Amino acid sequence: MTPTSATAPTERTAGGRGSPDRAVRVPHASLVAFAAEVFERRGVPPRRARTAGEALVYGDLSGMRSHGLANLTRLYLPLLDDGRALPDAEPEVLADRGAALLLDAHKALGLWAASEALDLAAERAADYGTGLVSVRNATHFGCAGHHTRRLAERNLIGILASNCGRQRIARPPGGRAAMLGTNPMSIAAPAGPGLPPFVLDMSTTAVPTGKVREAARAGRSIPEGWLQDERGRPVTDPGALDRGEGFPLWLGGRPETGAYKGYGLALLVEVLAALVPGAGLGPAEEAHTGHGGPTGRDDDIGFLALAVAPGALRPVDGFLQDAAGLFQALVDCPPLDANAPVSYPGAREAELSAGALAHGVGITPELYAEIRSVAAALGIDAPEGEPS
């Protein structure tokens, strides 16, 4: 039994995933071409602009709208316009030890630089079984799962983890000052023939900040457990995040329910993704002063790109057969509710992607209007869409 289909994507809005209630459906290829052309107009080389466009649109394609095209004007174009990301940056290898490399991204747009780093890691994994690319001076790379999934489709295991540079928005358990970012991480692996790849894509906080901001744009409240105020009380107003009045909770919620696990994972990411390459670090003495609210910017981000090649260590056919047994056993697990079958991370996104590829990517009318406005300002054609 396969947990995917090519049917039209199910409408689902909770937490920013799924298709919007009122959707304009636009062909995936048209959205990618549009995004790529916008990046080219900002000076990104064509091949890398295409890679960046695919990474950006993946958020909308797979139902993770908080990391999709909404960030074109809110995040990536401002980064380029302000010089915090450089369109023509050329990453530089600072140290090469065969299976491990240190890379300076030189403020390259993370949407393409993360994929290139994982591709380089994959090249080394073919020779050594594993390949590690440690990156500093990087910028935001969008959905981590997009980049790692590309390796899983090549029968490799991909791992990508990033800190948030010197941006601090989350407090350590029991602390009064924001010290860390959301520090996302992803791992993707083949699930065997006939099954979509396993793709875990997560922040180490309860939710990424993009979900909170997506709720704010939509005028929705957020559930308790996403944000807390300066005294540790639940916050349901998503606007509190950008006002500096709401702090993200860690995975696990409060200390008594396991917050130290999410906090510990965030520190793991900070060590591997930023301390190792010498990137900007969140925790710093300067954060102890002031009112304890958010400080710093997400500049000089560090990330870890790791590829593992099972085929370099054992016959790849045997690995894939065992993977199929592992994930099929999960899918076949008897469910508590017959209408909610057991699945695994990556399967739902694969189902939504298949539907969007067949029937068009669903975006809100507001986002579609924004896309048309960007196209008009640049004098390029806007992608054609149809109401669903």
Side-chain angles (χ1 to χ4, degrees):
M1 171 168 108
T2 302
T4 60
S5 67
T7 58
T10 303
E11 300 298 320
R12 191 172 102 186
T13 59
R17 288 177 178 260
S19 299
D21 290 328
R22 299 173 297 116
V24 177
R25 299 217 170 269
V26 186
H28 174 255
S30 297
L31 287 177
V32 171
F34 162 76
E37 188 167 3
V38 172
F39 287 131
E40 279 192 61
R41 292 298 183 99
R42 285 299 198 277
V44 180
R47 179 177 61 83
R48 286 171 166 168
R50 175 79 185 189
T51 300
E54 290 174 347
L56 182 61
V57 175
Y58 174 82
D60 302 282
L61 177 73
S62 62
M64 293 182 282
R65 299 195 317 276
S66 61
H67 284 58
L69 276 161
N71 283 338
L72 180 63
T73 60
R74 293 172 177 83
L75 176 59
Y76 297 108
L77 294 186
L79 281 175
L80 290 167
D81 293 343
D82 294 344
R84 295 174 59 206
L86 301 181
D88 57 351
E90 191 61 48
E92 177 186 3
V93 175
L94 301 179
D96 188 340
R97 300 294 181 263
L101 299 94
L102 173 63
L103 205 66
D104 188 321
H106 290 307
K107 299 183 181 180
L109 195 62
L111 289 168
W112 65 257
S115 281
E116 286 198 9
L118 274 170
D119 286 342
L120 180 55
E123 291 177 12
R124 299 306 174 93
D127 293 329
Y128 299 101
T130 61
L132 168 66
V133 178
S134 190
V135 183
R136 67 191 189 198
N137 206 10
T139 64
H140 194 280
F141 55 49
C143 293
H146 164 74
H147 305 287
T148 57
R149 181 188 172 97
R150 293 172 63 254
L151 264 62
E153 291 170 345
R154 295 158 54 184
N155 294 334
L156 302 170
I157 296 170
I159 299 174
L160 185 64
S162 169
N163 87 329
C164 295
R166 295 185 177 89
Q167 184 185 57
R168 311 170 190 97
I169 60 172
R171 304 183 299 184
R176 290 185 178 272
M179 300 296 291
L180 290 160
T182 56
N183 289 17
M185 58 190 296
S186 174
I187 178 171
L195 292 172
F198 161 65
V199 185
L200 176 66
D201 186 347
M202 54 172 272
S203 62
T204 53
T205 49
V207 294
T209 55
K211 275 193 177 184
V212 180
R213 294 187 174 110
E214 193 275 334
R217 291 194 297 270
R220 298 194 308 266
S221 62
I222 57 174
E224 292 187 6
W226 286 17
L227 298 179
Q228 62 180 342
D229 68 11
E230 73 282 358
R231 296 176 60 184
R233 297 171 300 194
V235 172
T236 58
D237 173 11
L241 175 69
D242 286 330
R243 294 196 304 268
E245 301 168 357
F247 300 85
L249 285 161
W250 298 108
L251 283 173
R254 304 176 64 81
E256 60 269 25
T257 59
Y260 282 96
K261 295 178 181 178
Y263 173 53
L265 285 173
L267 288 174
L268 179 150
V269 170
E270 196 79 22
V271 169
L272 292 178
L275 185 60
V276 170
L281 298 172
E285 291 289 332
E286 65 191 60
H288 298 165
T289 61
H291 58 83
T295 56
R297 298 199 309 185
D298 55 345
D299 293 324
D300 192 10
I301 287 173
F303 67 82
L304 163 104
L306 176 65
V308 179
L313 305 172
R314 58 178 293 201
V316 70
D317 289 345
F319 166 77
L320 293 175
Q321 182 178 354
D322 288 348
L326 186 164
F327 289 99
Q328 191 67 56
L330 292 172
V331 171
D332 292 342
C333 178
L336 291 172
D337 180 351
N339 295 317
V342 177
S343 187
Y344 56 86
R348 175 63 174 168
E349 290 79 3
E351 181 181 13
L352 289 169
S353 297
L357 288 171
H359 303 286
V361 177
I363 59 176
T364 64
E366 292 79 11
L367 179 56
Y368 185 60
E370 189 173 291
I371 287 172
R372 293 179 63 85
S373 178
V374 171
L378 293 176
I380 63 177
D381 292 333
E384 294 293 330
E386 295 182 358
S388 59

